Amino acid sequence: MERHKSTPINSLLDAWLRNEGLETPLLQHRMIQGWPAVMGEAIAKYTGEINIYGNTLRVKIKSPALRQNLMMMRTEIARKMNNYVQAQIIQDVTFY
């Protein structure tokens, strides 16, 4: 039996996820799980809930001083988080 058209399994899986509408939720989940890896354990220690609403990553920060520092860096944080998942998922980051 000859192979006429071989396709890598990862491209088939990506196409299936895209067709089923599961690609974006999977990337959002990876982004939320990757917060400690991107921001570091010191910041992750002061982090509470992390959610994505629309195109905004919402992060609860327990320290008011840290919250203010992170607010000034939010465009850089959004860029780093998008680079982590290798897709444009979020536009902005808000801290509460």
Side-chain angles (χ1 to χ4, degrees):
M1 181 150 111
E2 286 184 39
R3 290 188 203 179
H4 297 284
K5 194 175 184 184
S6 63
T7 308
I9 190 76
N10 62 349
S11 64
L12 291 173
L13 185 59
D14 290 340
W16 180 78
L17 287 171
R18 200 170 297 117
N19 287 339
E20 295 296 318
L22 299 173
E23 183 179 35
T24 301
L26 179 63
L27 290 173
Q28 288 175 346
H29 178 74
R30 285 182 185 164
M31 183 175 285
I32 291 170
Q33 295 300 316
W35 175 262
V38 173
M39 298 307 295
E41 290 299 320
I43 293 176
K45 184 170 47 171
Y46 292 102
T47 301
E49 296 178 25
I50 304 172
N51 297 312
I52 297 177
Y53 292 108
N55 291 335
T56 304
L57 179 68
R58 293 178 29 100
V59 182
K60 183 173 185 172
I61 302 293
K62 299 172 187 173
S63 168
L66 179 60
R67 186 180 318 125
Q68 285 299 86
N69 287 339
L70 292 176
M71 258 320 224
M72 292 185 279
M73 301 172 20
R74 60 183 209 233
T75 55
E76 178 70 19
I77 293 170
R79 186 186 60 76
K80 284 182 180 181
M81 294 301 291
N82 284 326
N83 286 341
Y84 180 78
V85 295
Q86 299 175 350
Q88 184 69 27
I89 300 297
I90 60 170
Q91 302 283 330
D92 194 21
V93 180
T94 59
F95 300 99
Y96 64 99

